[in-house]
Amino acid sequence: MTEAPMDAADTDIDADDEADRKVVEQERAELKEFVKGLSADDIKSGNWFTKLCAQAMNSYTEKVDWQYFQERYEGVPPDAIVDQRIKMAARYAALEGGLSAGAYTAAVAATIGSLGGASPATVPAAVATMMVDVTFTTRLQLRLAYDIAVLYQVPLDLSDPEDMWKLIRVAFTIKSGEAVQKGVIKAVPAIVRPVIKRFYSGAVLSAARGLPVVGKYLLQRNVIKIGIPLVGVPLAVVLNRYTTLLAGRHARAVFRNEARVIELAENLSKRSRHPQLMLWVAWLVIRADDKISDDEALLMRHLVRVVRERHQVVDEQLAQLVDIHPAEVWVRMDAEPGDLSDLLDVADRVAAVDGDVNAREKAVISELRDRCRRI
């Protein structure tokens, strides 16, 4: 989230509306200056998002890290901090929506469609006010997602395009398919669902990773505040509040799950007496059903990493393997002396990382158990 809301939250998480309003107004004043530097082409092309990402995250990531939160919330579990920060962000978003609501008229929608030229002077005042609202919620949600990743100690290097895209995808619930849309509809009160459904309807951005493309997508999504007949303060407040709540909850679900998988990889590596063989057993279980879920791929990536870091083991043969055959794993087990029961725990936990254990995974684990007993 923005730096000013953080400082306010650190002083008093339950600050009254007047204090919250002052924080929001300060943030709006900062973003008004940012929007003044945008041209009509920046807005229409989506290039405003490229510029906002640099403005929003460069200095922020230097200040906000795990130590930052430790100093402010020492001893508090991450789940509790994340919950409060999501609520705080939603509160700020709702207040800002109320302040920006005056910009939302039918005339603004028409003006957006006809934007052209390259001079900031050509941007109408009403559109500039709308852009303050869009950039406010966009920056708030982007920083909120980053905060949640930091709190769950999920490593993100925003100089890496892959990690930056990951943060953007999570922050703005960009996902291939309809899973996010269906999930968010159930998470809001019934009276609000038609509005939220309209907000999340339409094409889902999945493949195009160019930042201007995301900017056009986000602007198009936010125009719903103008496009629905129910205009004004109620709609702006509702959309800002609930889309920020849902963005935060989505980020919490994604990064908390990744933290769970990372924690599992670290615990398996810590307890293993056969770290190299553990990797082969884990991969055998994962490939048992000829499918690789996202959680399984994530677990394998982190298992390889922690085994390399903790045990200084790098298995080049496994890294180049195309097909894994059970017989090869059994030969490796037969060559290991002593108790191999730790591998059974590995197999059970790997199979369950993405939910219920299927029949093929059970069959591999059963064979593994029999061989461990014989050995």
Side-chain angles (χ1 to χ4, degrees):
M1 284 179 286
T2 52
E3 293 181 32
M6 282 187 186
D7 295 338
D10 294 337
T11 304
D12 183 4
I13 291 179
D14 297 318
D16 58 28
D17 285 348
E18 187 59 32
D20 290 345
R21 185 179 294 273
K22 288 181 180 179
V23 171
V24 170
E25 287 174 345
Q26 290 172 2
E27 291 296 308
R28 279 171 52 82
E30 179 185 331
L31 286 167
K32 281 178 183 177
E33 293 301 312
F34 170 78
V35 170
K36 282 181 183 178
L38 297 176
S39 69
D41 280 348
D42 285 334
I43 295 172
K44 196 170 183 179
S45 69
N47 195 48
W48 65 270
F49 183 70
T50 306
K51 295 182 176 182
L52 183 68
C53 283
Q55 189 260 18
M57 302 309 295
N58 284 351
S59 61
Y60 190 77
T61 55
E62 293 176 4
K63 175 183 177 182
V64 178
D65 55 15
W66 171 246
Q67 188 61 35
Y68 176 93
F69 288 113
Q70 282 293 94
E71 292 172 358
R72 286 156 178 76
Y73 305 98
E74 185 176 2
V76 181
D79 281 346
I81 306 172
V82 167
D83 182 70
Q84 289 301 311
R85 296 187 79 76
I86 292 173
K87 291 176 181 175
M88 180 179 67
R91 189 164 66 245
Y92 286 131
L95 285 170
E96 196 284 329
L99 293 173
S100 291
Y104 296 130
T105 66
V108 178
T111 307
I112 292 172
S114 61
L115 281 177
S119 170
T122 65
V123 180
V127 175
T129 305
M130 187 205 69
M131 285 305 300
V132 171
D133 179 28
V134 173
T135 55
F136 184 98
T137 54
T138 298
R139 187 170 76 169
L140 186 69
Q141 292 172 11
L142 192 63
R143 288 180 172 179
L144 175 61
Y146 177 79
D147 289 350
I148 293 171
V150 171
L151 282 163
Y152 285 124
Q153 299 188 65
V154 174
L156 284 179
D157 176 6
L158 298 191
S159 64
D160 183 335
E162 286 295 319
D163 278 4
M164 187 66 194
W165 172 246
K166 177 180 178 179
L167 179 67
I168 290 169
R169 189 178 68 243
V170 171
F172 305 116
T173 62
I174 296 169
K175 185 174 180 178
S176 179
E178 301 299 315
V180 171
Q181 294 180 26
K182 291 177 181 177
V184 299
I185 300 305
K186 296 177 181 178
V188 299
I191 195 171
V192 184
R193 288 177 190 173
V195 178
I196 300 295
K197 187 175 182 180
R198 181 84 174 267
F199 183 87
Y200 284 101
S201 66
V204 178
L205 183 64
S206 57
R209 300 191 182 190
L211 296 187
V213 177
V214 178
K216 291 177 70 174
Y217 170 82
L218 293 175
L219 183 59
Q220 182 183 39
R221 220 163 64 163
N222 276 272
V223 169
I224 199 67
K225 295 173 185 175
I226 307 161
I228 293 179
L230 174 64
V231 296
V233 175
L235 178 61
V237 170
V238 161
L239 270 177
N240 279 16
R241 172 177 169 76
Y242 279 103
T243 56
T244 300
L245 270 177
L246 296 170
R249 290 170 181 171
H250 179 63
R252 177 175 60 191
V254 171
F255 289 128
R256 192 181 193 281
N257 180 66
E258 183 162 350
R260 172 187 69 88
V261 174
I262 291 172
E263 184 176 78
L264 173 59
E266 291 175 345
N267 287 338
L268 290 177
S269 175
K270 187 186 304 181
R271 293 197 298 263
S272 177
R273 298 187 299 272
H274 308 86
Q276 187 167 10
L277 186 53
M278 175 186 70
L279 296 177
W280 284 83
V281 169
W283 190 235
L284 179 64
V285 172
I286 288 172
R287 298 296 290 137
D289 57 0
D290 295 323
K291 299 175 184 177
I292 306 174
S293 69
D294 290 344
D295 284 347
E296 287 174 332
L298 183 65
L299 175 60
M300 195 64 195
R301 179 162 64 87
H302 285 293
L303 267 179
V304 170
R305 175 184 59 81
V306 294
V307 165
R308 180 179 66 248
E309 294 172 357
R310 182 181 294 273
H311 302 283
Q312 290 74 53
V313 171
V314 177
D315 195 317
E316 294 293 346
Q317 185 176 352
L318 181 63
Q320 298 176 24
L321 195 67
V322 176
D323 289 324
I324 185 167
H325 300 286
E328 188 168 1
V329 180
W330 307 148
V331 168
R332 289 173 176 271
M333 288 181 60
D334 291 341
E336 288 286 342
D339 182 13
L340 300 180
S341 59
D342 58 306
L343 297 175
L344 281 175
D345 181 56
V346 169
D348 287 334
R349 290 175 176 270
V350 169
V353 72
D354 58 348
D356 294 336
V357 182
N358 60 51
R360 291 188 178 184
E361 291 169 338
K362 288 179 180 178
V364 169
I365 293 172
S366 177
E367 176 70 12
L368 178 67
R369 181 176 291 107
D370 290 342
R371 290 181 174 275
C372 285
R373 286 172 180 166
R374 289 200 295 273
I375 293 172

